[in-house]
């Protein structure tokens, strides 16, 4: 395994100063990231992430060097509905295209369905983010809908796709040996 997931600590904030000021790293990420440019704004946001007990947040660390390269998890968890929303942000662009996103997605889904007892995990993804859409499809997410012109980047609107995976679909994939 090339990465491990660990809770974030306050001292992990430093790489976010660079990542959140890198237009390419945040292009298709959380809209909030578009407005977090100052060190104070990033510190305040990061403190809320570290202290967040309602959502499941984990740092993505490289196994060999223990270097933080991003974070992922499940937010908007509804225990009465046994559902949540998956998110991932790999800020270190040197680690893009290595399959880390797919691996982290599978690790988080295992936790969401296994440890957290969720039945449904959804996500939204910008349609032009082809690599992410493909990775989510490979992990078993199914297209549920389209939010028309829901995102504004590069001076134009584009659609966001709504995708989800259910617990039984995830377990069927695992039982069939689909990784």
């Amino acid at each position: 395994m090339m990465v491990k997931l660990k809770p974030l600590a306050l001292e992990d904030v430093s790489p976010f100063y660079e990542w959140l000021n890198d237009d390419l790293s945040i292009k298709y990420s959380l809209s909030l990231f578009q407005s977090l440019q100052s060190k104070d704004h990033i510190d305040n946001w990061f403190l809320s992430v570290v202290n967040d007990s309602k959502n499941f947040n984990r740092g993505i660390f490289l196994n060999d060097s223990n270097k933080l390269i991003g974070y992922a998890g499940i937010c908007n968890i509804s225990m009465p509905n046994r559902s949540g929303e998956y998110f991932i942000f790999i800020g270190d662009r040197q680690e893009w295209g290595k399959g880390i996103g797919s691996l982290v997605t599978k690790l988080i889904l295992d936790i969401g369905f296994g440890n957290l007892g969720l039945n449904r995990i959804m996500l939204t993804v910008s349609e032009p983010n082809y690599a992410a859409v493909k990775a989510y499809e490979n992990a078993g997410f199914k297209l549920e809908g389209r939010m028309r012109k829901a995102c504004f980047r590069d001076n134009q609107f584009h659609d966001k796709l709504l995708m989800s995976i259910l617990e039984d679909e995830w377990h069927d994939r695992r039982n069939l040996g689909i990784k």
Side-chain angles (χ1 to χ4, degrees), residues 14-47:
S14 299
F16 285 91
Y17 300 139
E18 179 184 336
W19 299 338
L20 298 187
N21 282 289
D22 177 353
D23 290 340
L24 190 55
S25 287
I26 65 170
K27 183 172 183 174
Y28 296 123
S29 293
L30 190 64
S31 295
L32 172 70
F33 287 174
Q34 307 295 319
S35 63
L36 292 179
Q37 265 106 45
S38 78
K39 186 177 182 297
D40 284 345
H41 287 136
I42 293 169
D43 284 343
N44 288 335
W45 164 77
F46 195 76
L47 181 63

PDB file of all heavy atoms in Angstrom, residues 14-47:
ATOM      1  N   SER A  14       0.753  23.175   6.870  1.00  0.00           N
ATOM      2  CA  SER A  14       1.709  23.844   5.970  1.00  0.00           C
ATOM      3  C   SER A  14       1.513  23.568   4.482  1.00  0.00           C
ATOM      4  O   SER A  14       1.494  24.512   3.682  1.00  0.00           O
ATOM      5  CB  SER A  14       3.146  23.511   6.373  1.00  0.00           C
ATOM      6  OG  SER A  14       3.387  23.960   7.668  1.00  0.00           O
ATOM      7  N   PRO A  15       1.392  22.309   4.043  1.00  0.00           N
ATOM      8  CA  PRO A  15       1.246  22.088   2.598  1.00  0.00           C
ATOM      9  C   PRO A  15       0.004  22.748   2.001  1.00  0.00           C
ATOM     10  O   PRO A  15      -0.005  23.107   0.820  1.00  0.00           O
ATOM     11  CB  PRO A  15       1.137  20.563   2.467  1.00  0.00           C
ATOM     12  CG  PRO A  15       1.583  19.996   3.755  1.00  0.00           C
ATOM     13  CD  PRO A  15       1.428  21.058   4.785  1.00  0.00           C
ATOM     14  N   PHE A  16      -1.029  22.958   2.812  1.00  0.00           N
ATOM     15  CA  PHE A  16      -2.257  23.571   2.306  1.00  0.00           C
ATOM     16  C   PHE A  16      -2.029  25.023   1.866  1.00  0.00           C
ATOM     17  O   PHE A  16      -2.734  25.515   0.993  1.00  0.00           O
ATOM     18  CB  PHE A  16      -3.387  23.480   3.342  1.00  0.00           C
ATOM     19  CG  PHE A  16      -3.972  22.103   3.454  1.00  0.00           C
ATOM     20  CD1 PHE A  16      -3.470  21.191   4.366  1.00  0.00           C
ATOM     21  CD2 PHE A  16      -5.023  21.715   2.633  1.00  0.00           C
ATOM     22  CE1 PHE A  16      -4.005  19.907   4.468  1.00  0.00           C
ATOM     23  CE2 PHE A  16      -5.566  20.435   2.731  1.00  0.00           C
ATOM     24  CZ  PHE A  16      -5.046  19.533   3.644  1.00  0.00           C
ATOM     25  N   TYR A  17      -1.027  25.712   2.455  1.00  0.00           N
ATOM     26  CA  TYR A  17      -0.732  27.084   2.032  1.00  0.00           C
ATOM     27  C   TYR A  17      -0.356  27.107   0.555  1.00  0.00           C
ATOM     28  O   TYR A  17      -0.788  27.971  -0.201  1.00  0.00           O
ATOM     29  CB  TYR A  17       0.408  27.691   2.851  1.00  0.00           C
ATOM     30  CG  TYR A  17       0.153  27.780   4.339  1.00  0.00           C
ATOM     31  CD1 TYR A  17       1.160  27.488   5.249  1.00  0.00           C
ATOM     32  CD2 TYR A  17      -1.091  28.167   4.840  1.00  0.00           C
ATOM     33  CE1 TYR A  17       0.938  27.561   6.612  1.00  0.00           C
ATOM     34  CE2 TYR A  17      -1.322  28.246   6.205  1.00  0.00           C
ATOM     35  CZ  TYR A  17      -0.300  27.937   7.087  1.00  0.00           C
ATOM     36  OH  TYR A  17      -0.519  28.014   8.432  1.00  0.00           O
ATOM     37  N   GLU A  18       0.444  26.157   0.136  1.00  0.00           N
ATOM     38  CA  GLU A  18       0.850  26.074  -1.268  1.00  0.00           C
ATOM     39  C   GLU A  18      -0.296  25.547  -2.136  1.00  0.00           C
ATOM     40  O   GLU A  18      -0.620  26.122  -3.179  1.00  0.00           O
ATOM     41  CB  GLU A  18       2.069  25.155  -1.394  1.00  0.00           C
ATOM     42  CG  GLU A  18       2.569  24.984  -2.813  1.00  0.00           C
ATOM     43  CD  GLU A  18       3.716  23.994  -2.904  1.00  0.00           C
ATOM     44  OE1 GLU A  18       4.422  23.772  -1.898  1.00  0.00           O
ATOM     45  OE2 GLU A  18       3.886  23.429  -4.003  1.00  0.00           O
ATOM     46  N   TRP A  19      -0.914  24.441  -1.718  1.00  0.00           N
ATOM     47  CA  TRP A  19      -1.942  23.800  -2.532  1.00  0.00           C
ATOM     48  C   TRP A  19      -3.123  24.719  -2.818  1.00  0.00           C
ATOM     49  O   TRP A  19      -3.615  24.760  -3.931  1.00  0.00           O
ATOM     50  CB  TRP A  19      -2.458  22.540  -1.857  1.00  0.00           C
ATOM     51  CG  TRP A  19      -1.447  21.477  -1.609  1.00  0.00           C
ATOM     52  CD1 TRP A  19      -0.241  21.294  -2.243  1.00  0.00           C
ATOM     53  CD2 TRP A  19      -1.536  20.436  -0.639  1.00  0.00           C
ATOM     54  NE1 TRP A  19       0.406  20.197  -1.730  1.00  0.00           N
ATOM     55  CE2 TRP A  19      -0.362  19.656  -0.744  1.00  0.00           C
ATOM     56  CE3 TRP A  19      -2.494  20.087   0.297  1.00  0.00           C
ATOM     57  CZ2 TRP A  19      -0.128  18.539   0.059  1.00  0.00           C
ATOM     58  CZ3 TRP A  19      -2.264  18.983   1.102  1.00  0.00           C
ATOM     59  CH2 TRP A  19      -1.089  18.216   0.982  1.00  0.00           C
ATOM     60  N   LEU A  20      -3.604  25.415  -1.787  1.00  0.00           N
ATOM     61  CA  LEU A  20      -4.814  26.224  -1.956  1.00  0.00           C
ATOM     62  C   LEU A  20      -4.538  27.520  -2.716  1.00  0.00           C
ATOM     63  O   LEU A  20      -5.470  28.238  -3.075  1.00  0.00           O
ATOM     64  CB  LEU A  20      -5.479  26.505  -0.606  1.00  0.00           C
ATOM     65  CG  LEU A  20      -5.962  25.259   0.140  1.00  0.00           C
ATOM     66  CD1 LEU A  20      -6.743  25.638   1.380  1.00  0.00           C
ATOM     67  CD2 LEU A  20      -6.782  24.329  -0.738  1.00  0.00           C
ATOM     68  N   ASN A  21      -3.269  27.810  -2.976  1.00  0.00           N
ATOM     69  CA  ASN A  21      -2.909  28.947  -3.814  1.00  0.00           C
ATOM     70  C   ASN A  21      -2.441  28.503  -5.194  1.00  0.00           C
ATOM     71  O   ASN A  21      -1.918  29.306  -5.964  1.00  0.00           O
ATOM     72  CB  ASN A  21      -1.853  29.804  -3.120  1.00  0.00           C
ATOM     73  CG  ASN A  21      -2.472  30.675  -2.047  1.00  0.00           C
ATOM     74  OD1 ASN A  21      -3.181  31.619  -2.344  1.00  0.00           O
ATOM     75  ND2 ASN A  21      -2.243  30.313  -0.791  1.00  0.00           N
ATOM     76  N   ASP A  22      -2.607  27.233  -5.499  1.00  0.00           N
ATOM     77  CA  ASP A  22      -2.250  26.672  -6.800  1.00  0.00           C
ATOM     78  C   ASP A  22      -3.544  26.482  -7.594  1.00  0.00           C
ATOM     79  O   ASP A  22      -4.337  25.584  -7.301  1.00  0.00           O
ATOM     80  CB  ASP A  22      -1.517  25.337  -6.593  1.00  0.00           C
ATOM     81  CG  ASP A  22      -1.165  24.636  -7.894  1.00  0.00           C
ATOM     82  OD1 ASP A  22      -1.589  25.092  -8.981  1.00  0.00           O
ATOM     83  OD2 ASP A  22      -0.457  23.614  -7.827  1.00  0.00           O
ATOM     84  N   ASP A  23      -3.755  27.331  -8.577  1.00  0.00           N
ATOM     85  CA  ASP A  23      -5.017  27.314  -9.340  1.00  0.00           C
ATOM     86  C   ASP A  23      -5.322  25.952  -9.948  1.00  0.00           C
ATOM     87  O   ASP A  23      -6.481  25.538  -9.997  1.00  0.00           O
ATOM     88  CB  ASP A  23      -4.999  28.377 -10.442  1.00  0.00           C
ATOM     89  CG  ASP A  23      -5.080  29.789  -9.888  1.00  0.00           C
ATOM     90  OD1 ASP A  23      -5.517  29.950  -8.724  1.00  0.00           O
ATOM     91  OD2 ASP A  23      -4.700  30.728 -10.602  1.00  0.00           O
ATOM     92  N   LEU A  24      -4.305  25.244 -10.410  1.00  0.00           N
ATOM     93  CA  LEU A  24      -4.551  23.942 -11.027  1.00  0.00           C
ATOM     94  C   LEU A  24      -4.974  22.909  -9.977  1.00  0.00           C
ATOM     95  O   LEU A  24      -5.865  22.105 -10.220  1.00  0.00           O
ATOM     96  CB  LEU A  24      -3.300  23.463 -11.784  1.00  0.00           C
ATOM     97  CG  LEU A  24      -3.486  22.237 -12.664  1.00  0.00           C
ATOM     98  CD1 LEU A  24      -4.611  22.436 -13.674  1.00  0.00           C
ATOM     99  CD2 LEU A  24      -2.186  21.914 -13.395  1.00  0.00           C
ATOM    100  N   SER A  25      -4.351  22.937  -8.801  1.00  0.00           N
ATOM    101  CA  SER A  25      -4.688  21.980  -7.743  1.00  0.00           C
ATOM    102  C   SER A  25      -6.133  22.120  -7.282  1.00  0.00           C
ATOM    103  O   SER A  25      -6.783  21.131  -6.956  1.00  0.00           O
ATOM    104  CB  SER A  25      -3.768  22.144  -6.531  1.00  0.00           C
ATOM    105  OG  SER A  25      -2.490  21.647  -6.808  1.00  0.00           O
ATOM    106  N   ILE A  26      -6.623  23.345  -7.233  1.00  0.00           N
ATOM    107  CA  ILE A  26      -7.974  23.578  -6.692  1.00  0.00           C
ATOM    108  C   ILE A  26      -9.034  23.768  -7.767  1.00  0.00           C
ATOM    109  O   ILE A  26     -10.198  23.997  -7.457  1.00  0.00           O
ATOM    110  CB  ILE A  26      -8.000  24.774  -5.719  1.00  0.00           C
ATOM    111  CG1 ILE A  26      -7.665  26.089  -6.445  1.00  0.00           C
ATOM    112  CG2 ILE A  26      -7.087  24.525  -4.540  1.00  0.00           C
ATOM    113  CD1 ILE A  26      -7.908  27.329  -5.612  1.00  0.00           C
ATOM    114  N   LYS A  27      -8.653  23.641  -9.031  1.00  0.00           N
ATOM    115  CA  LYS A  27      -9.571  23.959 -10.135  1.00  0.00           C
ATOM    116  C   LYS A  27     -10.934  23.296  -9.990  1.00  0.00           C
ATOM    117  O   LYS A  27     -11.963  23.946 -10.144  1.00  0.00           O
ATOM    118  CB  LYS A  27      -8.939  23.571 -11.462  1.00  0.00           C
ATOM    119  CG  LYS A  27      -9.787  23.940 -12.661  1.00  0.00           C
ATOM    120  CD  LYS A  27      -9.034  23.703 -13.953  1.00  0.00           C
ATOM    121  CE  LYS A  27      -9.846  24.148 -15.137  1.00  0.00           C
ATOM    122  NZ  LYS A  27      -9.079  24.056 -16.379  1.00  0.00           N
ATOM    123  N   TYR A  28     -10.971  21.991  -9.727  1.00  0.00           N
ATOM    124  CA  TYR A  28     -12.250  21.283  -9.642  1.00  0.00           C
ATOM    125  C   TYR A  28     -12.597  20.893  -8.208  1.00  0.00           C
ATOM    126  O   TYR A  28     -13.457  20.062  -7.981  1.00  0.00           O
ATOM    127  CB  TYR A  28     -12.229  20.037 -10.531  1.00  0.00           C
ATOM    128  CG  TYR A  28     -12.096  20.367 -11.998  1.00  0.00           C
ATOM    129  CD1 TYR A  28     -11.055  19.858 -12.749  1.00  0.00           C
ATOM    130  CD2 TYR A  28     -13.028  21.187 -12.628  1.00  0.00           C
ATOM    131  CE1 TYR A  28     -10.935  20.156 -14.104  1.00  0.00           C
ATOM    132  CE2 TYR A  28     -12.921  21.495 -13.974  1.00  0.00           C
ATOM    133  CZ  TYR A  28     -11.871  20.973 -14.704  1.00  0.00           C
ATOM    134  OH  TYR A  28     -11.753  21.274 -16.037  1.00  0.00           O
ATOM    135  N   SER A  29     -11.929  21.485  -7.251  1.00  0.00           N
ATOM    136  CA  SER A  29     -12.162  21.142  -5.850  1.00  0.00           C
ATOM    137  C   SER A  29     -13.281  21.982  -5.252  1.00  0.00           C
ATOM    138  O   SER A  29     -13.912  22.789  -5.926  1.00  0.00           O
ATOM    139  CB  SER A  29     -10.880  21.348  -5.041  1.00  0.00           C
ATOM    140  OG  SER A  29      -9.914  20.426  -5.444  1.00  0.00           O
ATOM    141  N   LEU A  30     -13.453  21.807  -3.972  1.00  0.00           N
ATOM    142  CA  LEU A  30     -14.429  22.535  -3.184  1.00  0.00           C
ATOM    143  C   LEU A  30     -14.431  24.020  -3.545  1.00  0.00           C
ATOM    144  O   LEU A  30     -13.371  24.650  -3.568  1.00  0.00           O
ATOM    145  CB  LEU A  30     -14.059  22.344  -1.710  1.00  0.00           C
ATOM    146  CG  LEU A  30     -14.990  22.789  -0.624  1.00  0.00           C
ATOM    147  CD1 LEU A  30     -16.281  21.978  -0.684  1.00  0.00           C
ATOM    148  CD2 LEU A  30     -14.319  22.582   0.718  1.00  0.00           C
ATOM    149  N   SER A  31     -15.588  24.575  -3.837  1.00  0.00           N
ATOM    150  CA  SER A  31     -15.680  25.989  -4.219  1.00  0.00           C
ATOM    151  C   SER A  31     -15.082  26.898  -3.154  1.00  0.00           C
ATOM    152  O   SER A  31     -14.507  27.942  -3.476  1.00  0.00           O
ATOM    153  CB  SER A  31     -17.135  26.376  -4.485  1.00  0.00           C
ATOM    154  OG  SER A  31     -17.621  25.678  -5.599  1.00  0.00           O
ATOM    155  N   LEU A  32     -15.188  26.508  -1.902  1.00  0.00           N
ATOM    156  CA  LEU A  32     -14.626  27.284  -0.808  1.00  0.00           C
ATOM    157  C   LEU A  32     -13.134  27.541  -1.031  1.00  0.00           C
ATOM    158  O   LEU A  32     -12.611  28.603  -0.688  1.00  0.00           O
ATOM    159  CB  LEU A  32     -14.839  26.547   0.521  1.00  0.00           C
ATOM    160  CG  LEU A  32     -14.149  27.125   1.748  1.00  0.00           C
ATOM    161  CD1 LEU A  32     -14.790  28.451   2.143  1.00  0.00           C
ATOM    162  CD2 LEU A  32     -14.209  26.149   2.898  1.00  0.00           C
ATOM    163  N   PHE A  33     -12.435  26.572  -1.620  1.00  0.00           N
ATOM    164  CA  PHE A  33     -10.998  26.709  -1.835  1.00  0.00           C
ATOM    165  C   PHE A  33     -10.665  27.902  -2.728  1.00  0.00           C
ATOM    166  O   PHE A  33      -9.573  28.450  -2.652  1.00  0.00           O
ATOM    167  CB  PHE A  33     -10.401  25.443  -2.449  1.00  0.00           C
ATOM    168  CG  PHE A  33     -10.305  24.274  -1.500  1.00  0.00           C
ATOM    169  CD1 PHE A  33      -9.910  23.039  -1.970  1.00  0.00           C
ATOM    170  CD2 PHE A  33     -10.595  24.400  -0.151  1.00  0.00           C
ATOM    171  CE1 PHE A  33      -9.800  21.943  -1.114  1.00  0.00           C
ATOM    172  CE2 PHE A  33     -10.502  23.317   0.712  1.00  0.00           C
ATOM    173  CZ  PHE A  33     -10.103  22.095   0.233  1.00  0.00           C
ATOM    174  N   GLN A  34     -11.606  28.323  -3.580  1.00  0.00           N
ATOM    175  CA  GLN A  34     -11.363  29.456  -4.472  1.00  0.00           C
ATOM    176  C   GLN A  34     -11.177  30.754  -3.679  1.00  0.00           C
ATOM    177  O   GLN A  34     -10.558  31.687  -4.164  1.00  0.00           O
ATOM    178  CB  GLN A  34     -12.530  29.625  -5.462  1.00  0.00           C
ATOM    179  CG  GLN A  34     -12.896  28.385  -6.249  1.00  0.00           C
ATOM    180  CD  GLN A  34     -11.815  27.924  -7.202  1.00  0.00           C
ATOM    181  OE1 GLN A  34     -11.176  28.719  -7.865  1.00  0.00           O
ATOM    182  NE2 GLN A  34     -11.613  26.623  -7.269  1.00  0.00           N
ATOM    183  N   SER A  35     -11.702  30.790  -2.450  1.00  0.00           N
ATOM    184  CA  SER A  35     -11.626  32.025  -1.665  1.00  0.00           C
ATOM    185  C   SER A  35     -10.645  31.951  -0.497  1.00  0.00           C
ATOM    186  O   SER A  35     -10.458  32.930   0.210  1.00  0.00           O
ATOM    187  CB  SER A  35     -13.017  32.377  -1.129  1.00  0.00           C
ATOM    188  OG  SER A  35     -13.460  31.365  -0.248  1.00  0.00           O
ATOM    189  N   LEU A  36     -10.021  30.801  -0.289  1.00  0.00           N
ATOM    190  CA  LEU A  36      -9.069  30.656   0.824  1.00  0.00           C
ATOM    191  C   LEU A  36      -7.648  30.925   0.333  1.00  0.00           C
ATOM    192  O   LEU A  36      -6.928  29.997  -0.008  1.00  0.00           O
ATOM    193  CB  LEU A  36      -9.129  29.236   1.403  1.00  0.00           C
ATOM    194  CG  LEU A  36     -10.382  28.807   2.138  1.00  0.00           C
ATOM    195  CD1 LEU A  36     -10.261  27.366   2.612  1.00  0.00           C
ATOM    196  CD2 LEU A  36     -10.643  29.718   3.326  1.00  0.00           C
ATOM    197  N   GLN A  37      -7.256  32.192   0.293  1.00  0.00           N
ATOM    198  CA  GLN A  37      -5.911  32.469  -0.187  1.00  0.00           C
ATOM    199  C   GLN A  37      -4.948  32.901   0.916  1.00  0.00           C
ATOM    200  O   GLN A  37      -3.783  32.548   0.875  1.00  0.00           O
ATOM    201  CB  GLN A  37      -5.935  33.519  -1.302  1.00  0.00           C
ATOM    202  CG  GLN A  37      -5.961  32.901  -2.680  1.00  0.00           C
ATOM    203  CD  GLN A  37      -7.322  33.025  -3.339  1.00  0.00           C
ATOM    204  OE1 GLN A  37      -7.925  34.081  -3.308  1.00  0.00           O
ATOM    205  NE2 GLN A  37      -7.796  31.953  -3.937  1.00  0.00           N
ATOM    206  N   SER A  38      -5.431  33.627   1.897  1.00  0.00           N
ATOM    207  CA  SER A  38      -4.512  34.113   2.935  1.00  0.00           C
ATOM    208  C   SER A  38      -4.213  33.013   3.955  1.00  0.00           C
ATOM    209  O   SER A  38      -4.990  32.076   4.137  1.00  0.00           O
ATOM    210  CB  SER A  38      -5.110  35.330   3.647  1.00  0.00           C
ATOM    211  OG  SER A  38      -6.089  34.926   4.583  1.00  0.00           O
ATOM    212  N   LYS A  39      -3.065  33.158   4.599  1.00  0.00           N
ATOM    213  CA  LYS A  39      -2.656  32.197   5.624  1.00  0.00           C
ATOM    214  C   LYS A  39      -3.706  32.121   6.735  1.00  0.00           C
ATOM    215  O   LYS A  39      -4.046  31.034   7.197  1.00  0.00           O
ATOM    216  CB  LYS A  39      -1.289  32.603   6.179  1.00  0.00           C
ATOM    217  CG  LYS A  39      -0.692  31.610   7.154  1.00  0.00           C
ATOM    218  CD  LYS A  39       0.701  32.053   7.594  1.00  0.00           C
ATOM    219  CE  LYS A  39       1.343  31.076   8.533  1.00  0.00           C
ATOM    220  NZ  LYS A  39       0.662  30.876   9.800  1.00  0.00           N
ATOM    221  N   ASP A  40      -4.235  33.268   7.153  1.00  0.00           N
ATOM    222  CA  ASP A  40      -5.255  33.281   8.212  1.00  0.00           C
ATOM    223  C   ASP A  40      -6.520  32.537   7.804  1.00  0.00           C
ATOM    224  O   ASP A  40      -7.088  31.787   8.598  1.00  0.00           O
ATOM    225  CB  ASP A  40      -5.619  34.724   8.609  1.00  0.00           C
ATOM    226  CG  ASP A  40      -4.555  35.368   9.480  1.00  0.00           C
ATOM    227  OD1 ASP A  40      -3.691  34.637  10.022  1.00  0.00           O
ATOM    228  OD2 ASP A  40      -4.583  36.604   9.619  1.00  0.00           O
ATOM    229  N   HIS A  41      -6.974  32.753   6.567  1.00  0.00           N
ATOM    230  CA  HIS A  41      -8.163  32.048   6.092  1.00  0.00           C
ATOM    231  C   HIS A  41      -7.935  30.537   6.075  1.00  0.00           C
ATOM    232  O   HIS A  41      -8.801  29.759   6.487  1.00  0.00           O
ATOM    233  CB  HIS A  41      -8.567  32.521   4.692  1.00  0.00           C
ATOM    234  CG  HIS A  41      -9.174  33.874   4.670  1.00  0.00           C
ATOM    235  ND1 HIS A  41      -8.853  34.819   3.738  1.00  0.00           N
ATOM    236  CD2 HIS A  41     -10.103  34.451   5.480  1.00  0.00           C
ATOM    237  CE1 HIS A  41      -9.545  35.922   3.970  1.00  0.00           C
ATOM    238  NE2 HIS A  41     -10.298  35.727   5.023  1.00  0.00           N
ATOM    239  N   ILE A  42      -6.759  30.139   5.593  1.00  0.00           N
ATOM    240  CA  ILE A  42      -6.442  28.710   5.530  1.00  0.00           C
ATOM    241  C   ILE A  42      -6.330  28.134   6.942  1.00  0.00           C
ATOM    242  O   ILE A  42      -6.859  27.054   7.220  1.00  0.00           O
ATOM    243  CB  ILE A  42      -5.156  28.468   4.705  1.00  0.00           C
ATOM    244  CG1 ILE A  42      -5.421  28.844   3.238  1.00  0.00           C
ATOM    245  CG2 ILE A  42      -4.694  27.019   4.825  1.00  0.00           C
ATOM    246  CD1 ILE A  42      -4.179  28.917   2.361  1.00  0.00           C
ATOM    247  N   ASP A  43      -5.676  28.867   7.852  1.00  0.00           N
ATOM    248  CA  ASP A  43      -5.552  28.402   9.243  1.00  0.00           C
ATOM    249  C   ASP A  43      -6.925  28.203   9.881  1.00  0.00           C
ATOM    250  O   ASP A  43      -7.158  27.194  10.554  1.00  0.00           O
ATOM    251  CB  ASP A  43      -4.754  29.409  10.087  1.00  0.00           C
ATOM    252  CG  ASP A  43      -3.257  29.352   9.822  1.00  0.00           C
ATOM    253  OD1 ASP A  43      -2.774  28.350   9.249  1.00  0.00           O
ATOM    254  OD2 ASP A  43      -2.566  30.326  10.194  1.00  0.00           O
ATOM    255  N   ASN A  44      -7.824  29.152   9.691  1.00  0.00           N
ATOM    256  CA  ASN A  44      -9.171  29.053  10.284  1.00  0.00           C
ATOM    257  C   ASN A  44      -9.938  27.871   9.706  1.00  0.00           C
ATOM    258  O   ASN A  44     -10.596  27.130  10.437  1.00  0.00           O
ATOM    259  CB  ASN A  44      -9.947  30.349  10.079  1.00  0.00           C
ATOM    260  CG  ASN A  44      -9.413  31.468  10.943  1.00  0.00           C
ATOM    261  OD1 ASN A  44      -8.817  31.233  11.979  1.00  0.00           O
ATOM    262  ND2 ASN A  44      -9.612  32.692  10.506  1.00  0.00           N
ATOM    263  N   TRP A  45      -9.872  27.710   8.380  1.00  0.00           N
ATOM    264  CA  TRP A  45     -10.543  26.575   7.741  1.00  0.00           C
ATOM    265  C   TRP A  45      -9.952  25.255   8.254  1.00  0.00           C
ATOM    266  O   TRP A  45     -10.686  24.339   8.620  1.00  0.00           O
ATOM    267  CB  TRP A  45     -10.405  26.658   6.212  1.00  0.00           C
ATOM    268  CG  TRP A  45     -10.730  25.370   5.550  1.00  0.00           C
ATOM    269  CD1 TRP A  45     -11.975  24.853   5.322  1.00  0.00           C
ATOM    270  CD2 TRP A  45      -9.797  24.393   5.089  1.00  0.00           C
ATOM    271  NE1 TRP A  45     -11.867  23.616   4.727  1.00  0.00           N
ATOM    272  CE2 TRP A  45     -10.541  23.310   4.576  1.00  0.00           C
ATOM    273  CE3 TRP A  45      -8.414  24.329   5.043  1.00  0.00           C
ATOM    274  CZ2 TRP A  45      -9.942  22.187   4.032  1.00  0.00           C
ATOM    275  CZ3 TRP A  45      -7.803  23.210   4.500  1.00  0.00           C
ATOM    276  CH2 TRP A  45      -8.571  22.155   4.008  1.00  0.00           C
ATOM    277  N   PHE A  46      -8.618  25.167   8.302  1.00  0.00           N
ATOM    278  CA  PHE A  46      -7.965  23.918   8.697  1.00  0.00           C
ATOM    279  C   PHE A  46      -8.288  23.566  10.152  1.00  0.00           C
ATOM    280  O   PHE A  46      -8.521  22.402  10.473  1.00  0.00           O
ATOM    281  CB  PHE A  46      -6.446  24.012   8.476  1.00  0.00           C
ATOM    282  CG  PHE A  46      -5.765  22.692   8.522  1.00  0.00           C
ATOM    283  CD1 PHE A  46      -5.854  21.806   7.455  1.00  0.00           C
ATOM    284  CD2 PHE A  46      -5.031  22.300   9.639  1.00  0.00           C
ATOM    285  CE1 PHE A  46      -5.235  20.565   7.490  1.00  0.00           C
ATOM    286  CE2 PHE A  46      -4.399  21.069   9.674  1.00  0.00           C
ATOM    287  CZ  PHE A  46      -4.507  20.198   8.597  1.00  0.00           C
ATOM    288  N   LEU A  47      -8.319  24.560  11.015  1.00  0.00           N
ATOM    289  CA  LEU A  47      -8.689  24.332  12.414  1.00  0.00           C
ATOM    290  C   LEU A  47     -10.084  23.719  12.498  1.00  0.00           C
ATOM    291  O   LEU A  47     -10.315  22.781  13.263  1.00  0.00           O
ATOM    292  CB  LEU A  47      -8.636  25.651  13.191  1.00  0.00           C
ATOM    293  CG  LEU A  47      -8.980  25.581  14.673  1.00  0.00           C
ATOM    294  CD1 LEU A  47      -7.976  24.716  15.433  1.00  0.00           C
ATOM    295  CD2 LEU A  47      -9.026  26.976  15.276  1.00  0.00           C
TER     296      LEU A  47
END
